[in-house]
Amino acid sequence: MPLHVLSSGHRRRVLIAALGILALLAAACGPAATATPTSAPPTIARPTLAPTSPPVTGTTPTPTRAAGVTPSPTTPTPAPTAAPPTGAAAPKAGGVLKTYLRSEIAAWDPVKEITGSFHLRSVEKSVFSSLLARYAEETPCADDYNPVLVKSWKWVDNTTLEVVLQQGIKFHNKPPVNGRELTAEDVIWSWQRILAVNPRLQAVKDGVKEIVAVDRYTVRFITSTPLPALPPALGESTTPNILAKEAGDFAKDAQWGDWTLPEKSYIGSGPFMFKQNVPGVKVVLEKHPDYFKKGQPYLNGVEFHVLPDMSTRTAALISGKIDVWYAEAPIAPVQTLRKTAPQMWVQQCPLLQVPVMAVGRTDQAPFNDVRVRRAVLLAMDQAGMIKTAFLGEGAPSGVLPAFGSAVYLTPKEFPPELRKYLEPNPSESKKLLAEAGFPNGFETTVTYYPGYGSPFNEITEAFVSALADVGIKARQRGLERGAYNTTKSTGNFEGILLTKQQVYEPTSAFDMFYSKTPPALNVGRTNDPELDPLIEEYWRTVDKDKSLDLAKRIQYRILDQAWNFQLPAQFDYSIGHPYVKGYIKGGYESTTGPKFERVWLDK
């Protein structure tokens, strides 16, 4: 079987065409050839949820675009594009980059805690390495799964994924690892722990039977069924740090088991070594001199200053206390900075991993009626929401967030008979409500978490206002964090829930619409006998073209039945002084953390 080699010259571009970079005024600025199963794979085992919704009727159009054709998304950039601030000069070595953390890091486990801590990810992704990593390598926002520790990978057969490591990669020269070479045994130990403690990889965990070393640099993942979710999981931003196998012994030591002393326990193979943690003040990293990427990192170190308040971070950037802002979503401060500090460069991408989604309880009236759900979609004006809630800076979505993956269809890519549900039509919305028995509309509740701040609260207001325009009177029910998280995890709400739903890959995104998925993911209690078989087939399909065709059919069905109300995607922003060079923003940066190994300072 042919070998799939992941090199800088041959990338599997799975995400988006570049959104623009705003250079303001004085700115310096799938594996090849996969065998198809000859017999039907076993039924996929998923957590069960007793069906409560009535059967769904309706037909869904058959996809017409040729299978295997990658969508060509629009680029809703609100300003002209320009080259990233890399500069024409050769990179200079030296200097310490100063940036920030939004809060103190409370828990340091680089495998278990990573699922819930953006602040931790910002640090640990500079200290540890993964087999693959999702980031924008050359073009801002054009994220892809790029090789890090991996030299190549291939499917030996439908249930055996073979990964070959690069040779000569060294851990940090700190005891007890002492700069030794990273090998297959480290990968096996790390992935056994990842599958044991990381909650985001349930589908992969259930499918992986065994992980074995073929030789010092070759690892095989043996699965129980075809598992197309496995290769992306190797680069999942919330998962795959490779630790030294000695960590298994260190766990007997409280200093390692609790990860309370990162100065001692944070020994990776990444571009920077952990030097110091001053709780509540800063985290300091220093250059890894034996990093396997020749010449990198250019910086001597990175300092993360704890700056919880937005206004404090803004002032620190303007004054030069910090050099770069990254993965910030509030729009008003960004627009202010454009005016007050026009010499700085700005890069923006759609905020992909935490889009705002509204979900109705489809097992309860009135949202168990497809006419009511379609009426909600027709009441929504995404362009208007972008203008009012996002100050004109955002991207319309289909049934999944705009540009979240190459398989996520943009509104224009749906056939006309379905695309109409993504276009505002208040009169048709009112007509459907009348047909469903609500000629004067109805009252409902919209539950949300005000603590998400701006622009989440603004998009909530815009959504409620759109409902009111067609006669749906929604009472806003804001909950404090604990109550909101409980409500979201149990699915115990009435009416509509507004949520920031983390969406990384279709494999996990489609969990939200699978009837046997628990309410923590299937928040709206979707129960669609036509949709379930499509999702199950998608989960076990390795063939790339067939998988893409199934993804389209799934999205067609979701939109036809209006199983969710996906709101437009906002942008998030990275801003830096003109002397900060080599920064390339990723669309998933607020999940993956920034890549500082290629950044250099021109001063």
Side-chain angles (χ1 to χ4, degrees):
M1 180 163 291
L3 188 67
H4 186 91
V5 179
L6 300 174
S7 65
S8 60
H10 180 65
R11 302 291 187 198
R12 178 176 54 89
R13 290 290 172 205
V14 297
L15 279 180
I16 59 176
L19 288 176
I21 317 264
L22 301 170
L24 301 173
L25 299 175
C29 29
T34 325
T36 302
T38 55
S39 59
T43 301
I44 296 181
R46 302 298 254 186
T48 57
L49 178 68
T52 53
S53 303
V56 183
T57 61
T59 58
T60 305
T62 302
T64 56
R65 189 174 61 196
V69 177
T70 300
S72 194
T74 57
T75 51
T77 312
T81 62
T86 55
K92 297 178 182 178
V96 175
L97 183 76
K98 293 170 292 182
T99 186
Y100 67 92
L101 298 172
R102 295 177 195 163
S103 70
E104 180 181 354
I105 297 174
W108 287 92
D109 189 323
V111 172
K112 185 176 181 179
E113 300 299 337
I114 190 174
T115 58
S117 174
F118 164 75
H119 321 289
L120 177 60
R121 288 194 292 273
S122 301
V123 173
E124 56 82 29
K125 288 299 180 183
S126 291
V127 175
F128 297 95
S129 300
S130 52
L131 298 176
L132 307 177
R134 191 174 197 175
Y135 60 90
E137 184 181 30
E138 299 170 353
T139 304
C141 309
D143 296 41
D144 194 7
Y145 288 103
N146 295 290
V148 181
L149 301 177
V150 167
K151 178 181 178 182
S152 64
W153 59 263
K154 68 177 181 180
W155 286 100
V156 177
D157 54 46
N158 284 331
T159 58
T160 305
L161 180 68
E162 183 175 276
V163 174
V164 179
L165 302 176
Q166 295 193 56
Q167 299 184 22
I169 295 176
K170 295 183 179 180
F171 284 108
H172 301 159
N173 191 11
K174 299 171 71 172
V177 183
N178 299 318
R180 68 166 177 81
E181 186 181 27
L182 185 150
T183 69
E185 294 299 326
D186 301 302
V187 173
I188 292 173
W189 186 88
S190 298
W191 265 91
Q192 286 173 340
R193 185 165 189 267
I194 287 167
L195 295 177
V197 304
N198 192 294
R200 284 201 61 87
L201 289 179
Q202 191 64 44
V204 173
K205 176 182 178 180
D206 291 344
V208 174
K209 290 198 308 182
E210 189 179 11
I211 309 174
V212 298
V214 177
D215 56 40
R216 184 175 176 84
Y217 304 107
T218 306
V219 177
R220 285 186 173 180
F221 292 80
I222 314 299
T223 66
S224 56
T225 64
L227 196 62
L230 182 55
L234 303 183
E236 168 64 72
S237 55
T238 61
T239 304
N241 295 314
I242 302 302
L243 282 59
K245 63 182 180 181
E246 288 88 341
D249 296 326
F250 303 151
K252 300 174 184 177
D253 182 333
Q255 293 176 338
W256 278 81
D258 293 337
W259 297 95
T260 54
L261 292 178
E263 291 92 342
K264 177 181 177 182
S265 60
Y266 262 45
I267 304 176
S269 58
F272 296 96
M273 301 190 299
F274 201 103
K275 182 179 181 180
Q276 183 185 28
N277 174 40
V278 183
V281 179
K282 65 180 178 180
V283 171
V284 181
L285 308 181
E286 60 184 347
K287 179 176 183 176
H288 175 23
D290 295 320
Y291 188 50
F292 66 94
K293 292 186 179 180
K294 188 175 181 179
Q296 294 185 3
Y298 303 117
L299 299 167
N300 288 337
V302 180
E303 291 184 0
F304 294 86
H305 294 260
V306 179
L307 301 173
D309 182 68
M310 170 63 76
S311 61
T312 303
R313 293 198 293 273
T314 303
L317 180 64
I318 293 173
S319 68
K321 180 180 178 180
I322 61 175
D323 303 310
V324 67
W325 239 30
Y326 64 95
E328 286 286 9
I331 301 162
V334 174
Q335 294 190 341
T336 299
L337 274 169
R338 286 175 174 151
K339 297 175 182 178
T340 60
Q343 75 278 9
M344 295 188 189
W345 51 260
V346 180
Q347 297 184 33
Q348 66 185 48
C349 300
L351 184 58
L352 300 177
Q353 78 297 337
V354 282
V356 180
M357 181 176 69
V359 181
R361 276 291 296 268
T362 62
D363 60 333
Q364 297 177 350
F367 297 105
N368 60 347
D369 191 322
V370 68
R371 294 169 296 184
V372 171
R373 299 196 301 270
R374 287 171 175 169
V376 172
L377 284 179
L378 291 167
M380 293 169 50
D381 178 3
Q382 292 200 54
M385 290 178 174
I386 290 170
K387 183 177 180 180
T388 58
F390 298 159
L391 303 182
E393 302 190 21
S397 296
V399 298
L400 292 167
F403 310 115
S405 167
V407 305
Y408 295 172
L409 302 179
T410 63
K412 292 182 179 180
E413 293 177 305
F414 285 91
E417 63 270 30
L418 293 178
R419 187 167 62 242
K420 66 182 182 182
Y421 295 124
L422 299 173
E423 299 168 349
N425 191 334
S427 61
E428 182 65 20
S429 176
K430 293 177 181 179
K431 180 180 176 182
L432 286 172
L433 289 175
E435 291 176 0
F438 303 101
N440 300 314
F442 59 87
E443 294 183 358
T444 190
T445 300
V446 171
T447 300
Y448 72 110
Y449 172 52
Y452 280 138
S454 179
F456 181 85
N457 292 334
E458 288 85 346
I459 198 69
T460 301
E461 293 282 352
F463 178 69
V464 170
S465 177
L467 296 181
D469 288 343
V470 297
I472 302 175
K473 296 172 282 294
R475 178 180 69 89
Q476 292 180 229
R477 177 177 176 244
L479 301 179
E480 56 86 21
R481 179 181 288 273
Y484 178 81
N485 287 341
T486 300
T487 298
K488 181 180 176 181
S489 64
T490 61
N492 186 21
F493 66 95
E494 294 183 357
I496 296 173
L497 178 74
L498 255 66
T499 175
K500 283 189 173 184
Q501 189 69 39
Q502 292 194 340
V503 177
Y504 301 95
E505 282 294 310
T507 303
S508 56
F510 293 153
D511 278 346
M512 297 186 294
F513 307 101
Y514 185 60
S515 68
K516 298 182 179 65
T517 302
L521 288 175
N522 184 4
V523 182
R525 308 296 214 286
T526 299
N527 182 21
D528 186 337
E530 289 192 26
L531 190 56
D532 277 359
L534 291 174
I535 294 174
E536 290 175 352
E537 187 176 0
Y538 180 87
W539 279 335
R540 66 191 179 215
T541 298
V542 176
D543 180 81
K544 182 178 179 180
D545 289 348
K546 186 177 180 182
S547 176
L548 181 58
D549 185 68
L550 283 166
K552 288 186 290 183
R553 292 169 61 191
I554 289 169
Q555 291 171 85
Y556 286 6
R557 181 64 183 179
I558 293 170
L559 181 55
D560 178 64
Q561 295 298 310
W563 286 122
N564 74 326
F565 318 126
Q566 183 67 57
L567 300 176
Q570 67 188 87
F571 289 156
D572 77 336
Y573 307 83
S574 293
I575 306 176
H577 286 272
Y579 56 78
V580 178
K581 308 289 187 180
Y583 193 100
I584 302 177
K585 179 176 179 56
Y588 282 81
E589 187 174 78
S590 57
T591 307
T592 62
K595 286 191 69 63
F596 290 138
E597 64 191 60
R598 55 198 177 190
V599 170
W600 56 283
L601 302 178
D602 190 16
K603 67 175 184 176

